[in-house]
Amino acid sequence: MASITLDGLAHAYRPDPRGPQDYALKEINHVWRQGGAYALLGPSGCGKTTLLNIISGLVIPTRGRILFDDRDVTQLPTEARNIAQVFQFPVVYDTMTVRENLAFPLKNRKMPREAIARRVEEIASRLGLNSVLDRKASNLTADAKQKISLGRGLVREDVAAILFDEPLTVIDPHLKWQLRSSLKELHRALDLTMIYVTHDQTEALTFADTVVVMHDGAVVQTGTPEELFERPAHTFVGHFIGSPGMNVLPAKVEGRTAHVGDVAIALDRGYAALPVGGRIELGVRPEFATLAAPGTGLPVKVTRIEDIGRARIARIEISGNPAAAMVPEDLSLDGDSAGLTLDPRQIHIYADGVLVPGEAAGREGAM
Amino acid sequence: MTLELDHVSLRVRGVPFIKDVSLQLERGSLNVLLGATLAGKTSLMRLMAGLDAPTSGRVRMEGRDVTGLSVKKRSVAMVYQQFINYPSLTVYENIASPLRVAGLPRAEIEARVLSAAKLLKLEPYLQRTPLALSGGQQQRTAIARALVKRADLVLLDEPLANLDYKLREELREELPRIFASTGAVFVYATTEPTEALLLGGHTATLLEGAVTQFGPTAEVYRRPANLATARVFSDPPLNALRVTKQGHTVLMENGTVLPASGPLAQVSNGVYTIGVRAHHLEVEDIATAERITGNGLIRLGATIAVTEVTGSESFLHMDMGQERLTALVAGVRRLEPDAPVEVLIDPRHILLFGADGQAIAPARDAAAA
Amino acid sequence: MDKPVNNAAWLLVAPVFLIVAFSAILPIMTVVNYSVQDTFGNNQFFWNGLGWFQELLDPSTELGGRFLDALWRNLLFSAIILAIEVPLGILVALSMPRDGWKVAATLVIMALPLLIPWNVVGTIWQVFARADIGLGGWAINALGIDYNYTGDPLAAWITIVVMDVWHWTSLVALLCYAGLKSIPDAYYQAARIDGASRWAIFTTIQLPKMKRVLLIAVLLRFMDSFMIYTEPFVLTGGGPGNATTFLSIDLVKIALGQFDLGKAAAMSLVYNLIVLALCWVFYTVMTHAGTERRQEENPA
């Protein structure tokens, strides 16, 4: 059991990094508290796997330190760190039974035979693997194999953290739900630090209490799922989280009004301190943009309506800029023009991609 | 061109892979094969392509019997889950390769490659090699190569499965438009119900080698003909509860007795399964006592097992006796494990199945939506 | 289920059938014909029935005795070189570099012995091991060890075994290397996390994943060594005495040296059957391992 501290960590794969462009992982400072559920979320090549490998000890960082509690483990090899890892593709020892697989890490650590047997039974019942304990691991389904990988980590009582590297990639959708909720239940029951790396926002948001969003080797935002959803600190976060992602529209802001093309949008906050000459954008999530009959709200053009079963999503254009909005159940449209209403509290303004806080009502901006 | 499978079955070493499948796929249509891993999607595609011959049944193209005719003599293109390109050729040459094999004139090749590249937004990358591209661009190249042949039948076997979530979303949005611009029969295999819904067209749901239903995608989703289809076509998983109807009451597995309402009021006594999709369940936190009111709502007691919050929605997994229910509710609802709750079901949203698994009265369109 | 249906393929295979018929079936039938007859030259043949076969399988006869002796030498030789080459090949494969320019360099060096023709290998070693002018033989004698492969049966055997190991260990190593390369990194990472020792990694990951290529390597090396002819023929000519007279060498002696066509024909048929039977055993073992694997694979 431990908290994990990343202290000024940075990594470049080339030996003589010159500029920031050479760093696969730019400087990161972070504390993962003991018992937390964390997700590292980002697209391929954003550095999340590099960071995971640094934590597990497969990569030694170019700069900075990594601490497990107060112990500096930066230079320690994988086997000397108390971590376990579940990989993208199930790793099981083919020639062994499930029981032998689960016992393997304990056997390697020379634990007494009876203690091993007891611990294996205990973990197997937690994972629902009792019925297959004596079967060859290689003949099981992908989700059972992932449970075995996880089980090999859980049997060790000294494990400080469990790392997951896109563990649900090869799992069918309906089994993903089961595996994910059993993971959550395990996390609650065992009080382990869990770090989950994925490109899938749903997996990250549903699993983690705190999500770390990465882009281009840097952390762009760390927060709870609600924070990431309601106040994306960066347009990248807005785009990457949410399906469809946040609408980001080029805008001109004057006081409490934003102009997107020739459409004026009322704002809830004032923005006096916007940088001059910067790229100003307005961001609003489709969930807070509702389509209405023509004449209500802002005038928009509807290009397509998608039915995703539990909701309908309209693809629209606001002054020629593509966006998405929700279609209420009872709305039916003729032709391609419609109205759009936005929740003003959920409209954000970004300067060069970064969220500008704005001044709340009552403290009028200097316009 | 139309593709018709007429009572097609496939057995390999005595093991049935495909069980009596009949499908009629129309010219210019997009057809989704939806099912879990091992449901038979790939086997069915191989039969359509002519890579395998069925054990029994006929395959017809445009009315002509092509059963057993080799893939080379058919006009078929395939896209796989793995990004399959020639690593040493440029993107341009990759797309042009089937045309070079066919020996088309240079000008014609160029025209076709450029139009396919335009459709798939590959124009800036034509002189690069595939390995210098992102996964999404590599798969776009493979799709362009499949389209440029102008094959009558284009098969896509989970083409987006190896892509990042966001790239998947992007390509998924473009695919219907790309498909609509050609006149081929498209067959698209996926394990994800959401993907089927976004693609639209027609959907065939597969379970253990058999097609459980085939029809327009939205209709299959809203009016599943049987319990198997409803299960395959639900994500999160379908909440299915076995009930016994007796007179004016309904007895649940966990002993709860309810008045028979909605579709249950009209059916005769017997054992049924009611199916409710996750977003049709409302959950009431007993502790806060905020009552949700509504006429004829079914109320069931349950306890929270796991809560998952995405930021905009919450998935509540609940235990009701031996059953696990999943509700998808709007907003952030952090309910603690073991918290007692009431699950509310609007009878209009119930999908009702008989003891044989067949749908009883298809729920009305708007109601089940 | 993986085979496309294509009847035209039979046409493409037809020439192979014809070639096999001419190159294998017809000669074998000729051999069968010889094996049931006796000849005193001048193309005169006499019916002998199964006489040669009875003699061959009866150790008390001259023919049976030398046949079984040679067969025993063959089996011993195959067993020895398998016992050396397979573990050595695995060891070499395990110590080969995994990436960078060293991979290419190693592969070229490893492939070199495989590119040398059999009789050249024999000649090289014949010269190399000579006690008077050969570097190897001279050096051993200079160390005070009495070494003379033309006179001492043990020295002859050691020389042939060392020669075969030098020639063929690369093949085993290259096959094992290919098997090792196909193991995803995640397995090694998982094993490190599980605290597995080097030996445990070998027995639980590397060996099981190499099983299939190892079977191929063992099969190839067994068949090849069981039919060994050229190298010992060039090196020792089967001597000293009959110490290195393997079945194939003996066969040539009987057929061409003594011109006992009937005996030689019967012997080559039995030899052939033994090879076939052993191949069948290997084949069954391998396909068994294959079906086990196929069951795990995704049939849809």
Side-chain angles (χ1 to χ4, degrees), chain A residues 34-224:
Chain A
Q34 142 64 20
Y38 296 91
L40 281 176
L41 175 66
S44 316
C46 72
K48 58 187 194 293
T49 306
T50 305
L51 182 52
L52 191 76
N53 287 342
I54 290 175
I55 299 170
S56 67
L58 294 166
V59 170
I60 295 190
T62 315
R63 282 199 281 119
R65 294 185 310 156
I66 171 162
L67 309 173
F68 284 12
D69 284 336
D70 297 324
R71 193 164 68 111
D72 187 335
V73 298
T74 317
Q75 305 290 331
L76 286 185
T78 305
E79 52 272 31
R81 302 181 183 195
N82 299 333
I83 49 113
Q85 189 163 350
V86 178
F87 298 89
Q88 191 171 6
F89 297 99
V91 174
V92 294
Y93 302 108
D94 293 346
T95 51
M96 299 186 198
T97 61
V98 175
R99 188 190 300 277
E100 288 163 341
N101 259 280
L102 293 178
F104 189 63
L106 302 180
K107 229 175 94 190
N108 290 330
R109 287 170 175 80
K110 311 272 187 290
M111 201 166 146
R113 190 184 294 254
E114 310 79 62
I116 295 182
R118 228 182 7 255
R119 188 72 182 153
V120 166
E121 289 286 344
E122 185 191 327
I123 293 302
S125 65
R126 270 206 192 284
L127 291 168
L129 289 171
N130 297 65
S131 56
V132 294
L133 265 178
D134 292 306
R135 288 189 35 198
K136 273 262 189 295
S138 58
N139 294 333
L140 298 179
T141 54
D143 57 309
K145 285 183 181 174
Q146 283 302 51
K147 282 189 183 171
I148 297 171
S149 307
L150 177 59
R152 282 204 315 269
L154 295 178
V155 286
R156 289 161 49 197
E157 271 154 345
D158 63 343
V159 156
I162 301 189
L163 314 178
F164 297 88
D165 189 2
E166 311 203 357
L168 300 183
T169 306
V170 292
I171 310 293
D172 268 3
H174 63 284
L175 290 172
K176 274 185 190 171
W177 291 93
Q178 286 176 18
L179 214 54
R180 237 166 54 197
S181 40
S182 41
L183 214 55
K184 277 219 108 152
E185 284 173 281
L186 274 172
H187 176 251
R188 206 177 65 231
L190 296 175
D191 190 34
L192 285 169
T193 310
M194 292 191 176
I195 301 171
Y196 190 113
V197 168
T198 180
H199 61 82
D200 186 316
Q201 45 151 325
T202 314
E203 284 178 28
L205 297 170
T206 52
F207 173 79
D209 306 327
T210 306
V211 180
V212 179
V213 185
M214 296 187 66
H215 180 46
D216 261 350
V219 173
V220 284
Q221 188 173 4
T222 301
T224 62

Side-chain angles (χ1 to χ4, degrees), chain C residues 62-121:
Chain C
E62 191 266 344
L63 181 65
R66 66 193 275 188
F67 175 73
L68 289 176
D69 281 351
L71 179 61
W72 167 239
R73 271 177 223 121
N74 263 37
L75 289 171
L76 183 67
F77 178 70
S78 292
I80 290 175
I81 66 109
L82 281 179
I84 297 174
E85 287 175 16
V86 171
L88 189 61
I90 292 173
L91 210 64
V92 171
L94 287 174
S95 50
M96 278 170 75
R98 294 168 144 269
D99 40 38
W101 61 270
K102 287 180 191 157
V103 175
T106 318
L107 289 179
V108 170
I109 294 170
M110 299 282 295
L112 275 179
L114 301 174
L115 300 175
I116 303 172
W118 287 259
N119 55 343
V120 178
V121 172

Side-chain angles (χ1 to χ4, degrees), chain A residues 43-44 172-173 177 180 184-185 188 199 201 205 226 229 239-240 242-243 304 306-310 315, chain B residues 36-37 164-166 169 173 191 197-198 222 235 279 305-306 308-310 312-313 315 328 332 334 337:
Chain A
S44 316
D172 268 3
W177 291 93
R180 237 166 54 197
K184 277 219 108 152
E185 284 173 281
R188 206 177 65 231
H199 61 82
Q201 45 151 325
L205 297 170
E226 293 97 303
F229 186 78
H239 160 76
F240 200 77
S243 183
R304 195 169 78 246
E306 285 169 3
D307 187 340
I308 58 162
R310 58 193 163 83
R315 300 289 169 174
Chain B
T37 316
D164 264 16
Y165 191 85
K166 273 286 153 179
E169 212 176 85
E173 208 175 286
T191 58
L197 282 166
L198 282 174
R222 292 209 158 74
D235 186 47
H279 63 280
V306 180
E308 298 179 305
V309 174
T310 71
S312 56
E313 310 171 309
F315 297 105
L328 166 55
V332 175
R334 286 197 191 278

